[in-house]
Amino acid sequence: MNHDLFHDAGWFLGAARRGLAARRGEGIAEVLERLAAQDVSALAFREPEPRGLPVLVHLPQCLGETMLLDPDLAAAIAAVEEGLQWRQSASYSDAVLGEGFTANYGWAEIIGPHGFFAGEDFLLGLLMLGPHRHYRDHFHPAPELYWPLTSGSLWSRDSGAFVEKPQGATIWHPPMAMHATKTGETPMLALWSWTRDAGTPARLSG
Ligand SMILES: [Fe+2]
């Protein structure tokens, strides 16, 4: 077992827990409750095959910004980053999400089938979007929390107007709620979680 990576994965989860517990917002209590129920012991730890993606070119900028919000979490992300398996949803292509989208999008699980701990119907990870991207309307049965660690991301619920959320805000999507995310000049790094019903992937609308 890679003890350093196990230690750093635990550091990440502790930092995420502390950061979320310090906030007020819909869904945070549910994420913390479900997180506390997951097996994140040494016995449950495994190493995913590490994999990078083109969007990671923006990670240093995003981590620099995250340092201003939560230095402990930023350092923990930097510590686990080499061990992460960055992935993309299979149905997402430039044809449906816009030219260059797949070069500017990716997610990695900390807890989940491709993460350091398998989890029990629970996902927690990181999402990255490059600048000037539109992750358009989609929905899924899983309730979802986003915690953007960078500034200037824009969020839409139920196909409504996009609202800019400050760095460190949290956004909660109830089951099957339509939602979308945009970025402006600044690339986005966000922590996200699916608290249950995690087996059904997101579906784009239309
Ligand atoms: Fe979502």
Side-chain angles (χ1 to χ4, degrees):
M1 184 177 104
N2 183 334
H3 289 273
D4 285 346
L5 196 52
F6 170 67
H7 171 269
D8 291 339
W11 176 19
F12 176 99
L13 291 173
R17 194 180 296 121
R18 287 186 292 276
L20 287 172
R23 302 188 135 68
R24 295 283 169 272
E26 204 182 356
I28 291 176
E30 182 169 326
V31 172
L32 291 174
E33 185 183 319
R34 292 287 294 132
L35 176 55
Q38 305 305 310
D39 183 357
V40 294
S41 68
L43 281 176
F45 177 79
R46 72 275 166 86
E47 288 181 64
E49 184 78 30
R51 188 191 302 161
L53 283 175
V55 69
L56 293 177
V57 71
H58 300 293
L59 187 60
Q61 181 184 344
C62 288
L63 283 181
E65 220 186 312
T66 303
M67 284 292 292
L68 305 174
L69 176 77
D70 189 326
D72 189 40
L73 183 58
I77 294 170
V80 297
E81 198 279 319
E82 296 261 295
L84 294 175
Q85 185 178 111
W86 287 90
R87 306 177 61 88
Q88 301 186 326
S89 300
S91 61
Y92 291 7
S93 66
D94 286 6
V96 289
L97 283 148
E99 184 67 35
F101 188 86
T102 52
N104 284 278
Y105 150 78
W107 47 266
E109 294 169 356
I110 305 294
I111 299 179
H114 312 286
F116 300 125
F117 308 97
E120 196 183 359
D121 194 28
F122 176 83
L123 304 175
L124 185 136
L126 297 167
L127 171 77
M128 285 199 64
L129 281 180
H132 303 295
R133 295 297 143 190
H134 182 180
Y135 182 1
R136 67 176 175 80
D137 270 344
H138 60 284
F139 60 96
H140 38 74
E144 174 180 65
L145 184 82
Y146 271 108
W147 179 21
L149 306 173
T150 47
S151 60
S153 55
L154 299 127
W155 301 79
S156 160
R157 254 281 291 284
D158 304 322
S159 305
F162 280 87
V163 177
E164 183 170 334
K165 297 287 186 179
Q167 182 185 29
T170 57
I171 298 107
W172 176 247
H173 300 134
M176 303 308 277
M178 193 73 82
H179 54 278
T181 309
K182 277 184 182 177
T183 53
E185 290 292 327
T186 310
M188 184 184 82
L189 172 66
L191 186 142
W192 59 271
S193 178
W194 280 14
T195 59
R196 58 182 165 83
D197 298 323
T200 306
R203 272 180 52 197
L204 293 165
S205 76

